[in-house]
């Protein structure tokens, strides 16, 4: 049987379920607008709000759980947002092999799984390898935006990023009062703020780029149909 090349993903659809080669930003978005990534997009509230309020920015959400990636993409499609895409897969694998270096102006990581059990800590998003990958992706001055409700995890994240030569800590914007019921960054944030839980936020700017060897330190997680989501 003659070789049959694997079909390329439909980059005009809000949902992309497979990326095998390096992503061509101009196939994904037919313009030169700045690009931002959300890692762990869950049900897509950040993507929806950001995509609607900032039409001159292109957003890509990466979600490990297929059912939540599909849910978020369906919501994007219903609102007709042409500047938002949702990718199903592992973020580390995607940004290591598929997303061009120095091509993103911001990376958003909101309420990452804390992986409470000690034997699972290696699955946490924030590790030296991920920091190296984030630094490689961001343009000079590009932002890494972080929020979590777990103070101990936030302290570990701060220690990691403050010790990195690739990042500089910068001030976080004040948090405004919500103007409507879904005026929050994520569903987790909505839940926790209504409950009165403290939320820990930080922001870092990229000042240099990491090496591929450093990026290889971050383990890849298998994509799944089951996960918690914001």
């Amino acid at each position: 049987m003659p070789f049959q090349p694997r079909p390329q993903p439909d980059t005009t659809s809000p949902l992309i379920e497979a990326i095998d080669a390096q992503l061509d930003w101009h196939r994904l978005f037919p313009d030169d607008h700045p690009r931002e990534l959300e890692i762990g997009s869950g049900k897509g509230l950040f993507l929806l709000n950001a995509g609607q309020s900032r039409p001159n920015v292109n957003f890509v959400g990466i979600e490990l759980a297929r059912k939540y990636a599909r849910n978020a993409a369906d919501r994007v499609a219903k609102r007709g947002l042409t500047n938002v895409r949702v990718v199903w897969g592992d973020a580390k694998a995607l940004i290591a092999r598929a997303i061009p270096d120095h091509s993103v102006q911001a990376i958003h990581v909101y309420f990452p799984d804390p992986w409470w059990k000690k034997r699972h800590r290696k699955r946490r998003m924030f590790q030296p390898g991920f920091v190296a990958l984030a630094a490689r992706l961001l343009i000079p001055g590009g932002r890494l935006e972080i929020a979590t409700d777990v103070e101990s995890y936030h302290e570990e994240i701060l220690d990691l990023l403050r010790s990195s030569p690739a990042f500089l800590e910068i001030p976080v914007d004040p948090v405004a009062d919500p103007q409507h019921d879904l005026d929050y960054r994520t569903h987790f944030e909505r839940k926790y703020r209504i409950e009165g839980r403290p939320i820990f936020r930080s922001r870092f700017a990229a000042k240099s780029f990491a090496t591929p060897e450093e990026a290889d330190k971050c383990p890849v997680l298998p994509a799944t149909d089951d996960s918690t989501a914001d």
Side-chain angles (χ1 to χ4, degrees):
M1 177 181 289
F3 171 73
Q4 296 293 327
R6 183 171 180 171
Q8 290 296 308
D10 178 9
T11 53
T12 63
S13 169
L15 178 64
I16 299 173
E17 296 200 59
I19 298 178
D20 293 329
Q22 189 172 73
L23 181 66
D24 183 341
W25 282 114
H26 292 287
R27 286 192 67 222
L28 202 61
F29 302 108
D31 54 54
D32 292 314
H33 293 164
R35 306 133 186 162
E36 301 192 7
L37 293 179
E38 185 190 18
I39 294 176
S41 52
K43 298 174 185 176
L45 185 59
F46 169 77
L47 297 173
L48 293 172
N49 288 341
Q52 290 178 109
S53 63
R54 301 166 64 197
N56 293 326
V57 176
N58 293 322
F59 295 92
V60 173
I62 304 174
E63 173 53 45
L64 189 64
R66 177 182 281 177
K67 64 181 178 181
Y68 292 122
R70 287 176 171 173
N71 182 277
D74 287 345
R75 298 173 73 190
V76 167
K78 287 177 181 177
R79 287 161 178 77
L81 298 176
T82 59
N83 64 327
V84 179
R85 300 287 188 275
V86 182
V87 180
W88 170 54
D90 174 67
K92 187 267 177 177
L94 287 166
I95 62 181
R97 73 167 188 262
I99 299 179
D101 292 351
H102 325 326
S103 66
V104 174
Q105 78 166 8
I107 298 174
H108 304 264
V109 188
Y110 300 132
F111 305 94
D113 194 329
W115 292 103
W116 292 108
K117 294 182 179 179
K118 188 174 182 179
R119 67 178 183 271
H120 292 158
R121 293 292 175 87
K122 64 183 179 180
R123 300 182 183 183
R124 284 183 167 182
M125 178 61 65
F126 282 93
Q127 301 178 57
F130 172 73
V131 172
L133 285 171
R136 254 177 49 198
L137 250 64
L138 289 166
I139 62 175
R143 307 180 325 279
L144 179 56
E145 306 271 3
I146 303 153
T148 176
D149 63 308
V150 182
E151 185 174 13
S152 60
Y153 191 13
H154 187 242
E155 290 299 322
E156 291 181 23
I157 292 170
L158 290 177
D159 289 343
L160 186 62
L161 287 165
R162 286 170 177 169
S163 65
S164 169
F167 284 98
L168 175 69
E169 190 171 6
I170 57 177
V172 176
D173 293 336
V175 178
D177 292 331
Q179 299 302 305
H180 53 79
D181 188 51
L182 291 178
D183 188 21
Y184 299 88
R185 285 204 167 177
T186 74
H187 285 93
F188 275 142
E189 178 172 312
R190 176 183 179 277
K191 175 184 176 181
Y192 297 156
R193 286 176 64 181
I194 290 173
E195 292 176 351
R197 286 200 215 181
I199 295 174
F200 306 94
R201 308 172 194 273
S202 53
R203 173 183 290 168
F204 287 79
K207 59 181 182 179
S208 64
F209 301 116
T211 66
E213 291 75 18
E214 291 173 309
D216 285 340
K217 297 175 185 176
C218 190
V220 176
L221 296 179
T224 176
D225 285 321
D226 298 307
S227 174
T228 56
D230 59 343

